Amino acid sequence: FTSAIVNNDVLIAFLVALALVLLVKLVQDMQRTKVRRGEFFRSAALLVVCCALAALTKLSGLGLYVLVFIVLSAVAWHAKKIREFTFCFLLLAFSFALFSGWWYARNWMLYGDVTGLNAMLEIMGRREPGFGVADLAPEVEGIRWSYWALFGQTNLVANEWLYHAFDL
């Protein structure tokens, strides 16, 4: 149901999955004693474009940069491929600036916040201070429903027996 509506969830899932496949390929390339330059460049370029587009698609896409940086750092250190790591790092920085950096710069200029979250929270509302684990109890049923089957703008609930079947 969610994938049939216009949103950014499906795109971020695709971009992250593709980036993970490309990251595995890049790691395999870096572990070879002889790196094929053209193949390595292609994989690295596609990976950084996926990272940049993921960062533009959804804020959580920024986490992909962190993961790629950590994995490539570890592999480069172990395989002593500092040149390849430097190339990937520069490509990551360049792709972020080119494809998605403008969005975060725009947020900073408009809202004084790179993420734009404060502006969204002003519209959507904030929780009262002091929200804790005990306050989650009333939310549990809604979370359960939305995990298994909740459609529309949370207004189409399935039959209760279905939720119990899914729980099992």
Side-chain angles (χ1 to χ4, degrees):
F1 181 82
T2 301
S3 64
I5 60 176
V6 175
N7 66 36
N8 54 3
D9 294 330
V10 175
L11 181 57
I12 193 74
F14 168 74
L15 289 170
V16 169
L18 181 59
L20 292 175
V21 168
L22 292 167
L23 182 59
V24 167
K25 182 166 180 359
L26 200 60
V27 165
Q28 289 172 340
D29 288 348
M30 286 178 77
Q31 290 175 334
R32 289 191 182 112
T33 50
K34 179 132 171 96
V35 178
R36 297 180 196 124
R37 296 281 177 224
E39 194 174 319
F40 178 80
F41 177 76
R42 236 183 340 273
S43 296
L46 286 171
L47 175 62
V48 298
V49 167
C50 282
C51 287
L53 292 176
L56 187 59
T57 301
K58 202 165 185 160
L59 188 58
S60 58
L62 287 173
L64 197 53
Y65 274 102
V66 176
L67 175 69
V68 168
F69 180 76
I70 290 170
V71 169
L72 291 182
S73 297
V75 171
W77 179 266
H78 184 266
K80 297 184 180 18
K81 303 274 180 140
I82 303 305
R83 186 172 152 184
E84 286 82 357
F85 168 76
T86 305
F87 171 76
C88 289
F89 176 76
L90 292 173
L91 207 53
L92 275 169
F94 177 74
S95 72
F96 178 79
L98 181 67
F99 291 107
S100 51
W102 64 270
W103 177 256
Y104 295 97
R106 172 198 170 274
N107 285 344
W108 179 260
M109 290 187 293
L110 282 177
Y111 310 120
D113 171 20
V114 248
T115 64
L117 285 177
N118 287 324
M120 182 201 70
L121 290 173
E122 290 301 318
I123 295 167
M124 301 301 290
R126 299 175 188 267
R127 290 200 185 263
E128 293 297 319
F131 185 83
V133 175
D135 299 308
L136 284 176
E139 305 279 339
V140 169
E141 186 174 45
I143 293 169
R144 181 175 149 255
W145 286 351
S146 68
Y147 182 78
W148 291 124
L150 182 63
F151 308 106
Q153 187 63 27
T154 67
N155 59 346
L156 298 174
V157 181
N159 291 328
E160 188 64 29
W161 68 265
L162 187 61
Y163 294 112
H164 292 299
F166 284 144
D167 288 342
L168 291 173

